[in-house]
Amino acid sequence: YLDDWSMLEIFHFGPRDFFGATKNYFLSWPLIAMRPLQAPFHALLFLLYGQAACGYHFVPAALEVLGLWFFYLFLHQLSGRRDLALIAASLALVDPRHDTTRYWILCDSVNLSLLFTCFSLWSAHLGAIKDNWALRLASVFSFSLMVWNYELFLPMAVINAYLQTKSVSYGYWSWS
């Protein structure tokens, strides 16, 4: 079970440098090995904000908005309709079911995974449209970061893989 207070205790009584705090987190909490990018993410947040709650709210909120910006870009490219893309991204932003922006420090990395996932979908789609392998590679790298951070969006791998296999020259589809 992951608990905010246990995580804060590890950082509070641990080293005050980034690498030392990250290493201490791994050594003190073996469960973090399942999500290895959370350790440096939480270490950085603690070193920046300590036990002040504002940072643990601001950073996830910013990550959520940035992630949904890429979601908007992806939907706009996919549909060709700004209005529908904006409505969908706005509804996702105000959806009350995802509460990690509002509380629960240990789940704040869900929003980092949201950013990685939405960037991955956007860059895979744009890479397919432009037949650009750098964008496709950025998509794969971003999706890999998501998996190592928080696996919640792993089912999006199906869409991402489909986008990776498409290109304009092979009749790439679009809803516009």
Side-chain angles (χ1 to χ4, degrees), residues 84-107:
L84 292 179
L86 183 61
I87 289 169
S90 298
L91 287 174
L93 185 62
V94 299
D95 184 358
R97 290 176 293 168
H98 61 101
D99 53 8
T100 59
T101 301
R102 292 120 186 123
Y103 67 92
W104 201 7
I105 296 170
L106 283 174
C107 282

Side-chain angles (χ1 to χ4, degrees), residues 19-82:
F19 293 108
T22 302
K23 178 182 174 186
N24 187 50
Y25 195 27
F26 273 113
L27 294 175
S28 301
W29 205 340
L31 286 176
I32 202 68
M34 294 184 305
R35 299 174 178 149
L37 282 184
Q38 282 188 3
F41 180 69
H42 289 140
L44 181 62
L45 283 181
F46 186 81
L47 293 173
L48 290 173
Y49 300 106
Q51 293 175 326
C54 67
Y56 298 100
H57 295 289
F58 172 74
V59 172
L63 291 172
E64 183 176 32
V65 169
L66 188 58
L68 291 173
W69 172 251
F70 283 108
F71 183 62
Y72 161 79
L73 292 175
F74 168 66
L75 292 176
H76 178 243
Q77 286 175 348
L78 189 66
S79 69
R81 301 221 17 216
R82 288 180 191 210

Side-chain angles (χ1 to χ4, degrees), residues 1 5 7 9 14 38 56 82 86 98 116 130 149 166 168:
Y1 176 73
W5 294 110
M7 184 267 298
E9 175 188 22
Q38 282 188 3
Y56 298 100
R82 288 180 191 210
L86 183 61
H98 61 101
F116 289 146
K130 296 186 176 212
N149 181 63
K166 296 298 166 190
V168 175

